[in-house]
Amino acid sequence: MTTDLIRRRDIDQIALLTLANPPVNALGRAVRQKLAALASELEADDSVRAVVLTGEGRVFVGGADIGEFDRPPEEPHLPDVIAAIEAARKPWVAALNGAALGGGAELALGCHYRIFAKEARLGLPETALGLIPGAGGTQRLPRRIGLAPAIEVITAGRTLSANEAQDAGLADRIAAGDLIAEAQAFARTLDGPLPQPAGAASLADPGPAFWEEARARIAKAARGNPAPVAALEAIHVGVAEGFAAGLRAERETFLRLRGSDEAAALRHLFFAERAAVRPAALRGIEPAPMARIGVIGGGTMGSGIAAAIAAAGLEVTLAETGSDALEAGLTRVRAIFEAQVTRGLTDRAGAADRLARVSGTVGLGPLAVCDLVIEAVFEDLAVKRRVFEDLTRLCRPDAILATNTSYLDPERIVAGLPNPDRFIALHFFSPAQVMKLLEIVPLAATTSRTLATGFALAARLGKIPVQAGNGEGFIGNRILKRYRAEAEALLFAGASPAEVDQAMRAFGFGMGPFEMQDMAGLDIAFRAREAARAQGQDLPEGPGDRLVRAGRLGRKSGGGWYDYAPESRQPHPSAEVAALIAPLVTPRPRPSAMEIAERLIGAMAEEGQRICDEGLAQGPADIDLVEVHGYGFPRHKGGPMFHTARKGPTRAGGPACPGPTNADPRKGGAAPT
Ligand code: T1G
């Protein structure tokens, strides 16, 4: 049963049109059809002298319907609907009740007047979807607010607040009270000639240097996503050849990008990210309260987690074993907030608020009042176990107790302790105040309430939660292990670390696997291999082992896979490394950069599929979220599963996997109660 997608109510010759297409009034085909019909109906209706257009709910319009982009474009096309409104003889007043994004902003720009609610905002975030505005935004916005500000809004995805829109001359009013009443009153005052359409304004061309500088700056910031520079080019055509030529260039570019791999990848992530925060299995499950949270350990991870919690407006107590360690932890937290002020993520007052929400304690006693405690101490089983023994004595039986372990088996950390239903692993990524990924690992006895609390925390911190089964390395570190092993295997074929890293940077990664390991330190993985060998696993000697035995631990020792000058992060190919690896190399035809990248991505996808097949992940999309939000996989490639599936019928892109169980793959436990 289709609801009334647009409701019409006429009052005193003012037609009020309310877009009602929940959840975000997206301009799908049916809405466009209805709007086009209404535009011609109202134009012919003599009882109407003006139109007020608004949206139902928190959003004016969230844009075109992104879900339609996997199908060919269908009429009526949005540019035509907007052109009809712009050409109307009667004034159209857009009453922005909330966000006007993408096609929603373009619709508002096609109206003759705009009234903003105080909290309304306007933006053209299409480039984040690998697209450019396709309904006039690249031409009308610059002519309304000026060239440079419009380029910023369009290529950097910045939104304009109501005040900024008014300062820029885009908002005719900001409603002081009832938006609709004020918009109708405003419409009643309109009886003069309509304002000039945006297209009537010409834009002075600032010259080639301006465009070159903008192109270079935007391309750098885009990190491989082709859309931002494409948007700039469309704007440029409009400046150089006029409004109509600009509209044509915009449409051509929009349609080309609409069918691109990058746009498909970014759409995949758009929907995967939204599905991740609202898992169907937890619908209706009430999470535990999180009024006061405890974090144990003031090291890099603990202080980052505490800062993230305080920045989300929650009270947090940071616990350490001694006053020096505590002071060091609090100093790290302060430094994080300082850096956030420097980077404009908050202001002085905001940093002070955040810091005021952080308290410190020596010992665990004060954590007894906490609803949730996250342990982030040294990665040692005995140390972590002692912490949990103390916590189970101190905390309320219904307090949620979480470990931030990366490699240890959380079941062994809490084995035999009372109230196991409240234990969970919450795996943050460093720096925890920045990295968006949170791997949430339920244990055999974890209840849905505890699991829901993990997801609620993620939502509150603005993290992307991914539920992972309790396998070694969970999802991300397990794939990382495979990725590194595959990268090392390429060295056996004669490829150099620099060639492999260059291939992965060309694919879109900010850093290749060898540079990344030099940054993190080669000794971490070496110790894990040695521990496995000590347990009897037959792990052959690899290039990484040879480097560590030669004292090459990475940047911190002045050399790992690369050499580094003192105090420098610049990697230099190393003759010593080449000599250490040479005995392991069996010369073969050198793989091309593309072959190197596809081989490593293919290995990630294969491991991702294995994780799915073992029930340790919800689906391929979750693997992609882990890689994009935790391991620097380029967004415009969508993730290893998406990339591999799009590239061809490989197993990796197969049907969704059977979803993780709480069964402990390390020991085969029962599903959650
Ligand atoms: N199309 C289809 N579905 C959409 C949608 C859209 N544009 N926007 C949101 N949804 C769904 C979303 O998947 C989720 O679904 C639900 O709405 C709530 O979303 C021609 C080409 C508007 C700020 O890039 O930024 O216009 O999970 O959880 O936090 O030039 O949604 O419930 O099933 O995000 O309140 C450009 C995208 C499109 C804006 C609301 N527009 N949306 O945030 O809710 S391209 C955008 C948002 C375009 C034209 C071009 C946000 C929001 P479900 P949510 P929210």
Side-chain angles (χ1 to χ4, degrees):
M1 202 280 294
T2 58
T3 60
D4 229 352
L5 294 171
I6 306 179
R7 286 196 305 276
R8 173 181 173 180
R9 197 156 54 86
D10 295 12
I11 304 167
D12 299 345
Q13 298 185 299
I14 307 297
L16 172 64
L17 301 183
T18 305
L19 295 152
N21 182 26
V24 296
N25 300 327
L27 301 170
R29 185 178 191 209
V31 177
R32 296 194 306 273
Q33 285 171 325
K34 181 104 192 222
L35 193 53
L38 278 165
S40 54
E41 185 186 303
L42 289 162
E43 195 65 354
D45 185 337
D46 292 339
S47 72
V48 168
R49 49 189 286 256
V51 181
V52 170
L53 176 65
T54 192
E56 180 181 77
R58 295 171 297 110
V59 174
F60 172 68
V61 172
D65 186 339
I66 301 169
E68 287 184 352
F69 291 162
D70 293 322
R71 305 195 295 272
E74 295 160 302
E75 293 193 348
H77 300 304
L78 189 56
D80 306 330
V81 177
I82 293 174
I85 290 172
E86 187 176 55
R89 288 175 297 105
K90 300 173 183 180
W92 282 63
V93 179
L96 273 58
N97 53 298
L101 301 174
E106 292 169 303
L107 181 58
L109 287 167
C111 290
H112 306 103
Y113 301 95
R114 284 152 294 279
I115 312 256
F116 280 61
K118 289 196 194 72
E119 63 288 347
R121 56 196 170 90
L122 180 139
L124 291 164
E126 283 86 342
T127 58
L129 290 167
L131 303 166
I132 71 167
T138 66
Q139 305 306 314
R140 290 192 174 90
L141 190 67
R143 287 168 173 77
R144 289 283 181 212
I145 70 170
L147 189 56
I151 288 174
E152 180 64 13
V153 168
I154 294 170
T155 63
R158 209 168 73 70
T159 58
L160 296 171
S161 69
N163 290 330
E164 288 169 328
Q166 188 163 51
D167 297 347
L170 196 56
D172 296 280
R173 293 271 190 295
I174 298 180
D178 180 328
L179 170 70
I180 301 306
E182 290 184 36
Q184 289 166 321
F186 174 82
R188 264 186 223 103
T189 66
L190 301 170
D191 57 8
L194 293 174
Q196 283 293 312
S202 63
L203 287 167
D205 190 332
F210 171 91
W211 298 106
E212 267 156 49
E213 181 282 330
R215 198 173 292 114
R217 174 170 43 80
I218 291 164
K220 186 160 180 277
R223 304 179 69 176
N225 175 356
V229 168
L232 180 76
E233 303 303 0
I235 295 170
H236 190 182
V237 170
V239 171
E241 303 169 31
F243 185 72
L247 284 181
R248 281 193 301 278
E250 175 195 89
R251 193 69 189 167
E252 279 156 27
T253 305
F254 168 73
L255 293 172
R256 174 171 55 79
L257 293 177
R258 191 180 185 281
S260 69
D261 289 343
E262 289 84 1
L266 291 163
R267 266 196 312 280
H268 160 68
L269 291 174
F270 177 88
F271 288 117
E273 284 154 359
R274 277 153 184 80
V277 290
R278 285 186 288 268
L282 293 176
R283 223 159 269 150
I285 307 285
E286 193 56 34
M290 291 185 285
R292 177 154 284 283
I293 300 177
V295 174
I296 307 173
T300 307
M301 284 311 295
S303 58
I305 295 169
I309 292 169
L314 294 163
E315 303 295 323
V316 59
T317 302
L318 185 62
E320 259 292 358
T321 49
S323 52
D324 291 352
L326 178 60
E327 190 40 43
L330 293 173
T331 302
R332 287 191 188 93
V333 172
R334 275 190 290 272
I336 289 171
F337 295 147
E338 268 311 306
Q340 290 174 343
V341 173
T342 313
R343 293 181 51 219
L345 300 175
T346 185
D347 56 18
R348 289 247 143 261
D353 282 352
R354 293 172 184 198
L355 198 55
R357 279 189 279 273
V358 181
S359 57
T361 171
V362 172
L364 303 183
L367 302 187
V369 298
C370 289
D371 305 304
L372 164 66
V373 179
I374 303 169
E375 162 277 310
V377 302
F378 187 65
E379 192 76 343
D380 176 274
L381 183 59
V383 173
K384 287 183 186 286
R385 189 159 171 81
R386 264 198 307 282
V387 167
F388 274 82
E389 283 165 357
D390 293 345
L391 287 175
T392 49
R393 264 195 307 278
L394 282 167
C395 296
R396 298 190 320 267
D398 65 341
I400 309 291
L401 304 179
T403 173
N404 177 56
T405 184
S406 309
Y407 284 100
L408 295 172
D409 176 356
E411 292 284 9
R412 295 182 63 199
I413 296 173
V414 301
L417 295 176
N419 307 102
D421 58 290
R422 52 148 164 206
F423 296 135
I424 193 163
L426 295 177
H427 183 213
F428 288 80
F429 288 75
S430 184
Q433 74 279 9
V434 176
M435 297 300 284
K436 297 249 321 163
L437 180 64
L438 180 62
E439 281 184 327
I440 300 181
V441 185
L443 310 186
T446 301
T447 58
S448 304
R449 174 178 178 269
T450 301
L451 186 57
T453 309
F455 276 83
L457 178 71
R460 192 64 194 268
L461 302 189
K463 302 288 185 198
I464 301 286
V466 171
Q467 181 174 338
N470 180 19
E472 191 175 333
F474 306 141
I475 297 175
N477 284 339
R478 174 170 164 177
I479 293 176
L480 179 64
K481 190 173 171 190
R482 174 69 190 279
Y483 173 56
R484 285 192 173 145
E486 207 68 30
E488 284 199 19
L490 280 162
L491 304 182
F492 296 148
S496 70
E499 280 168 336
V500 174
D501 284 348
Q502 179 42 40
M504 297 319 283
R505 271 191 263 108
F507 182 84
F509 280 85
M511 210 180 257
F514 296 109
E515 291 160 313
M516 193 161 62
Q517 207 175 18
D518 271 1
M519 185 176 71
L522 279 69
D523 46 333
I524 302 165
F526 174 75
R527 275 204 302 275
R529 287 194 296 274
E530 290 292 84
R533 288 179 183 123
Q535 284 166 2
Q537 280 189 37
D538 172 24
L539 289 181
E541 181 83 351
D545 299 317
R546 287 180 165 235
L547 269 60
V548 172
R549 294 189 204 290
R552 300 185 65 90
L553 309 183
R555 274 197 213 156
K556 59 187 172 191
S557 68
W561 294 104
Y562 296 92
D563 291 336
Y564 298 86
E567 310 308 316
S568 162
R569 293 176 172 202
Q570 184 59 40
H572 299 284
S574 163
E576 184 192 3
V577 170
L580 282 166
I581 296 176
L584 301 171
V585 173
T586 321
R588 274 175 246 143
R590 304 279 275 277
S592 70
M594 178 72 83
E595 286 164 339
I596 289 173
E598 292 305 337
R599 176 165 162 181
L600 294 184
I601 306 296
M604 294 166 95
E606 205 172 76
E607 196 64 28
Q609 189 59 49
R610 283 210 189 109
I611 291 171
C612 282
D613 296 347
E614 293 166 24
L616 299 177
Q618 299 270 352
D622 272 10
I623 304 285
D624 289 337
L625 290 178
V626 165
E627 293 307 317
V628 166
H629 289 288
Y631 295 81
F633 198 101
R635 271 191 78 78
H636 62 279
K637 300 281 183 175
M641 310 307 279
F642 177 87
H643 174 77
T644 311
R646 182 126 177 132
K647 200 173 59 56
T650 61
R651 174 99 177 70
C657 48
T661 67
N662 284 13
D664 180 350
R666 303 177 200 231
K667 285 207 272 344
T673 54

Coordinates of all heavy atoms in Angstrom, one line a residue, residues 22-24 26-27 58-59 61-69 78-79 99 101-104 106 121 123-126 128-129 131-137 250-251 254 270-271 274-275 277-278, ligand 1:
P22 N 9.3 8.1 4.2 CA 10.3 7.7 5.2 C 11.2 6.6 4.7 O 10.9 5.9 3.8 CB 9.4 7.2 6.3 CG 8.0 6.9 5.7 CD 7.9 7.8 4.5
P23 N 12.5 6.6 5.2 CA 12.9 7.3 6.4 C 13.5 8.7 6.2 O 13.6 9.5 7.1 CB 14.0 6.4 7.0 CG 14.5 5.6 5.8 CD 13.4 5.5 4.9
V24 N 13.9 9.0 4.9 CA 14.6 10.2 4.7 C 14.1 11.0 3.5 O 14.7 11.9 3.0 CB 16.1 10.0 4.5 CG1 16.8 9.5 5.7 CG2 16.4 9.2 3.3
A26 N 13.6 10.3 0.5 CA 14.5 10.1 -0.7 C 13.6 10.3 -2.0 O 12.5 10.0 -2.0 CB 15.2 8.8 -0.7
L27 N 14.3 10.9 -3.0 CA 13.5 11.3 -4.2 C 13.5 10.2 -5.2 O 14.0 10.2 -6.3 CB 14.2 12.6 -4.8 CG 14.2 13.8 -3.9 CD1 15.0 14.9 -4.5 CD2 12.7 14.3 -3.6
R58 N 12.6 14.4 10.5 CA 13.8 15.1 10.8 C 14.6 15.6 9.6 O 15.5 16.4 9.7 CB 14.8 14.2 11.6 CG 14.4 13.7 12.9 CD 15.3 12.6 13.5 NE 15.4 11.4 12.6 CZ 16.4 11.0 11.9 NH1 17.5 11.8 11.9 NH2 16.4 9.9 11.2
V59 N 14.3 15.0 8.5 CA 15.1 15.3 7.3 C 14.2 16.0 6.2 O 13.0 15.6 6.1 CB 15.6 14.0 6.7 CG1 16.3 14.2 5.3 CG2 16.6 13.4 7.7
V61 N 15.1 16.3 2.7 CA 15.3 15.3 1.7 C 16.7 14.7 1.8 O 17.7 15.5 1.7 CB 15.1 15.8 0.3 CG1 15.5 14.7 -0.7 CG2 13.6 16.2 0.1
G62 N 16.9 13.4 2.0 CA 18.2 12.8 2.1 C 18.9 12.6 0.7 O 19.9 11.9 0.6
G63 N 18.2 13.0 -0.3 CA 18.8 13.0 -1.7 C 18.0 12.1 -2.6 O 16.9 11.7 -2.3
A64 N 18.6 11.8 -3.8 CA 18.0 10.8 -4.7 C 18.0 9.5 -3.9 O 18.7 9.3 -2.9 CB 18.9 10.7 -5.9
D65 N 17.2 8.5 -4.4 CA 17.2 7.2 -3.8 C 18.4 6.4 -4.2 O 18.5 5.9 -5.3 CB 15.9 6.5 -4.1 CG 15.7 5.2 -3.3 OD1 16.8 4.7 -2.8 OD2 14.6 4.7 -3.2
I66 N 19.3 6.3 -3.3 CA 20.6 5.6 -3.6 C 20.4 4.2 -4.0 O 21.1 3.6 -4.8 CB 21.5 5.6 -2.3 CG1 21.8 7.1 -1.9 CG2 22.8 4.9 -2.6 CD1 22.5 7.2 -0.6
G67 N 19.3 3.6 -3.5 CA 19.0 2.2 -3.8 C 18.6 2.0 -5.3 O 18.6 0.9 -5.8
E68 N 18.3 3.1 -6.0 CA 17.9 3.0 -7.4 C 19.1 3.0 -8.3 O 19.0 2.7 -9.5 CB 17.0 4.2 -7.8 CG 15.6 4.2 -7.2 CD 14.7 5.4 -7.7 OE1 15.3 6.3 -8.4 OE2 13.5 5.3 -7.5
F69 N 20.3 3.3 -7.8 CA 21.5 3.5 -8.6 C 22.0 2.2 -9.2 O 22.9 2.2 -10.0 CB 22.6 4.2 -7.9 CG 22.2 5.7 -7.6 CD1 22.9 6.4 -6.6 CD2 21.2 6.3 -8.3 CE1 22.6 7.7 -6.4 CE2 20.9 7.6 -8.0 CZ 21.6 8.3 -7.0
L78 N 15.4 13.8 -12.3 CA 15.3 14.9 -11.3 C 15.7 16.3 -11.9 O 15.0 17.3 -11.6 CB 16.2 14.6 -10.1 CG 16.1 15.5 -8.9 CD1 14.7 15.5 -8.3 CD2 17.1 15.0 -7.8
P79 N 16.7 16.4 -12.7 CA 17.0 17.7 -13.3 C 15.8 18.3 -14.0 O 15.6 19.5 -13.9 CB 18.1 17.4 -14.3 CG 18.7 16.1 -13.9 CD 17.6 15.4 -13.2
A99 N 17.9 18.2 7.3 CA 19.0 18.1 6.3 C 18.4 18.1 4.8 O 17.5 17.3 4.6 CB 19.8 16.8 6.5
L101 N 20.1 17.2 1.5 CA 21.4 16.6 1.0 C 21.2 16.1 -0.5 O 20.1 15.6 -0.8 CB 21.8 15.5 1.9 CG 22.0 15.8 3.3 CD1 22.3 14.6 4.2 CD2 23.2 16.9 3.5
G102 N 22.2 16.3 -1.2 CA 22.2 15.8 -2.6 C 21.1 16.3 -3.4 O 20.9 17.6 -3.5
G103 N 20.3 15.4 -4.0 CA 19.1 15.9 -4.8 C 18.2 16.7 -4.0 O 17.5 17.6 -4.5
G104 N 18.2 16.6 -2.6 CA 17.3 17.4 -1.8 C 17.8 18.9 -1.8 O 17.1 19.8 -1.8
E106 N 19.6 20.1 -4.2 CA 19.4 20.6 -5.6 C 17.9 21.1 -5.8 O 17.6 22.1 -6.4 CB 19.8 19.5 -6.6 CG 21.3 19.3 -6.6 CD 21.7 18.1 -7.3 OE1 21.2 17.0 -7.0 OE2 22.5 18.2 -8.3
R121 N 20.3 21.9 7.6 CA 21.6 22.1 6.9 C 21.5 21.7 5.5 O 20.6 20.9 5.1 CB 22.7 21.3 7.7 CG 22.4 19.9 7.8 CD 23.3 19.2 8.9 NE 22.9 17.9 9.2 CZ 23.4 16.8 8.5 NH1 24.3 17.0 7.6 NH2 22.9 15.6 8.8
G123 N 23.7 20.3 2.0 CA 25.0 19.8 1.5 C 24.8 19.0 0.2 O 23.7 18.5 -0.1
L124 N 25.9 18.8 -0.5 CA 26.0 18.0 -1.7 C 27.0 16.9 -1.5 O 28.1 17.0 -2.0 CB 26.3 18.9 -2.9 CG 25.1 19.8 -3.2 CD1 25.6 21.0 -4.2 CD2 24.0 19.1 -3.9
P125 N 26.7 15.8 -0.7 CA 27.8 14.8 -0.4 C 28.0 13.7 -1.4 O 28.5 12.7 -1.1 CB 27.2 14.2 0.9 CG 25.7 14.3 0.8 CD 25.4 15.5 -0.1
E126 N 27.5 14.0 -2.7 CA 27.5 12.9 -3.7 C 28.9 12.3 -3.9 O 29.0 11.1 -4.1 CB 27.0 13.5 -5.0 CG 25.5 13.6 -5.1 CD 25.0 15.0 -4.6 OE1 25.8 15.6 -3.8 OE2 23.9 15.3 -4.9
A128 N 31.0 11.5 -1.8 CA 31.3 10.4 -0.9 C 30.7 9.1 -1.4 O 31.0 8.0 -0.9 CB 30.7 10.7 0.5
L129 N 29.8 9.2 -2.4 CA 29.2 8.0 -3.0 C 29.8 7.7 -4.4 O 29.3 7.0 -5.2 CB 27.7 8.2 -3.1 CG 26.9 8.2 -1.8 CD1 25.5 8.7 -2.1 CD2 26.8 6.8 -1.2
L131 N 30.0 9.8 -6.8 CA 29.2 10.5 -7.8 C 29.5 12.0 -7.7 O 30.2 12.4 -6.9 CB 27.7 10.3 -7.4 CG 27.2 8.8 -7.3 CD1 25.8 8.8 -6.7 CD2 27.1 8.2 -8.7
I132 N 28.8 12.7 -8.6 CA 28.8 14.2 -8.5 C 27.3 14.6 -8.4 O 26.5 13.8 -8.9 CB 29.5 14.9 -9.6 CG1 28.8 14.8 -10.9 CG2 31.0 14.4 -9.8 CD1 29.3 15.8 -12.0
P133 N 27.0 15.8 -8.0 CA 25.6 16.2 -8.0 C 25.1 16.0 -9.5 O 25.8 16.4 -10.4 CB 25.7 17.6 -7.5 CG 26.9 17.7 -6.7 CD 27.9 16.8 -7.3
G134 N 23.9 15.5 -9.6 CA 23.5 15.2 -11.0 C 22.2 16.0 -11.4 O 21.6 15.7 -12.4
A135 N 21.8 16.9 -10.5 CA 20.6 17.6 -10.8 C 20.8 19.2 -10.6 O 19.9 19.8 -10.0 CB 19.4 17.1 -9.9
G136 N 21.9 19.6 -11.1 CA 22.1 21.1 -11.2 C 22.9 21.6 -10.0 O 23.3 22.8 -10.1
G137 N 23.3 20.8 -9.1 CA 24.0 21.3 -7.9 C 25.4 21.9 -8.3 O 25.8 23.0 -7.7
E250 N 27.7 18.2 -16.4 CA 27.4 17.6 -15.1 C 26.6 16.3 -15.3 O 26.9 15.3 -14.7 CB 26.5 18.6 -14.2 CG 26.0 18.0 -12.9 CD 24.9 18.8 -12.3 OE1 23.7 18.6 -12.6 OE2 25.2 19.8 -11.5
R251 N 25.6 16.4 -16.2 CA 24.8 15.2 -16.4 C 25.6 14.0 -17.0 O 25.5 12.9 -16.5 CB 23.6 15.5 -17.2 CG 22.5 14.5 -17.3 CD 21.8 14.4 -15.9 NE 20.9 13.2 -15.9 CZ 20.3 12.8 -14.7 NH1 20.7 13.3 -13.6 NH2 19.5 11.8 -14.8
F254 N 27.8 12.7 -14.3 CA 27.0 12.0 -13.3 C 26.6 10.6 -13.8 O 26.8 9.6 -13.1 CB 25.8 12.7 -12.9 CG 24.7 12.0 -12.1 CD1 25.0 11.7 -10.8 CD2 23.6 11.5 -12.7 CE1 24.0 10.9 -10.1 CE2 22.7 10.8 -12.0 CZ 22.9 10.5 -10.7
F270 N 28.0 2.3 2.0 CA 26.9 3.1 2.6 C 25.9 2.3 3.3 O 25.5 2.5 4.5 CB 26.3 4.0 1.5 CG 25.1 4.9 2.0 CD1 25.4 6.1 2.5 CD2 23.8 4.4 2.0 CE1 24.3 6.9 3.0 CE2 22.8 5.2 2.4 CZ 23.0 6.5 2.9
F271 N 25.4 1.3 2.6 CA 24.3 0.4 3.1 C 24.9 -0.5 4.2 O 24.3 -0.8 5.2 CB 23.6 -0.3 2.0 CG 22.7 0.6 1.2 CD1 23.0 0.8 -0.2 CD2 21.7 1.3 1.8 CE1 22.2 1.7 -0.9 CE2 20.9 2.2 1.0 CZ 21.1 2.3 -0.3
R274 N 25.2 1.2 7.5 CA 24.0 1.5 8.2 C 23.4 0.2 8.7 O 22.8 0.1 9.8 CB 23.0 2.2 7.2 CG 23.3 3.6 7.3 CD 22.9 4.4 6.0 NE 23.3 5.8 6.2 CZ 24.6 6.2 6.0 NH1 25.5 5.3 5.7 NH2 24.9 7.4 6.2
A275 N 23.6 -0.9 8.0 CA 23.1 -2.2 8.5 C 23.9 -2.7 9.7 O 23.3 -3.2 10.7 CB 23.2 -3.2 7.4
V277 N 25.1 -1.0 12.2 CA 24.8 -0.4 13.6 C 23.4 -0.9 14.1 O 23.1 -0.7 15.2 CB 24.8 1.1 13.5 CG1 26.2 1.7 13.3 CG2 23.9 1.7 12.4
R278 N 22.6 -1.5 13.1 CA 21.3 -2.0 13.6 C 21.1 -3.4 13.2 O 20.3 -3.8 12.4 CB 20.2 -1.1 12.9 CG 20.0 0.3 13.4 CD 18.9 0.9 12.8 NE 19.1 1.3 11.4 CZ 19.6 2.5 11.0 NH1 19.9 3.4 11.9 NH2 19.8 2.7 9.7
Ligands
T1G1 N1 18.6 6.9 -0.5 C1 18.1 5.7 0.0 N2 18.1 5.4 1.3 C2 18.6 6.3 2.1 C3 19.2 7.5 1.7 C4 19.1 7.8 0.3 N3 19.6 9.0 -0.2 N4 19.7 8.2 2.8 C5 19.4 7.4 3.8 N5 18.8 6.2 3.5 C6 18.4 5.2 4.3 C7 19.5 4.4 5.1 O1 20.0 3.4 4.3 C8 18.8 3.9 6.3 O2 18.1 2.8 5.9 C9 17.8 5.0 6.6 O3 17.6 5.7 5.4 C10 18.2 6.0 7.7 O4 19.5 6.4 7.3 C11 20.9 13.5 -8.1 C12 22.8 11.7 -7.1 C13 20.0 11.7 5.5 C14 21.8 12.4 7.1 O5 24.5 11.1 0.3 O6 23.6 11.1 4.9 O7 21.2 12.8 -4.3 O8 19.2 1.1 7.4 O9 20.8 5.7 9.4 O10 21.6 8.9 10.7 O11 22.6 14.8 -7.2 O12 21.1 9.0 5.9 O13 17.1 2.1 8.1 O14 17.1 0.6 6.2 O15 21.8 7.3 7.8 O16 19.3 9.9 10.6 C15 23.0 12.0 -1.8 C16 22.8 10.1 2.4 C17 22.4 10.9 -2.5 C18 22.9 11.4 2.0 C19 20.1 10.7 7.8 N6 22.6 11.9 -0.4 N7 22.1 9.9 3.7 O17 21.0 10.2 8.7 O18 19.8 8.0 9.2 S1 22.9 10.9 -4.2 C20 23.4 11.5 0.6 C21 22.6 10.4 4.9 C22 22.0 12.2 -4.9 C23 21.7 13.8 -6.8 C24 22.5 12.7 -6.3 C25 21.8 10.1 6.1 C26 20.9 11.3 6.6 P1 17.9 1.6 7.0 P2 20.6 6.8 8.5 P3 20.4 9.3 9.9

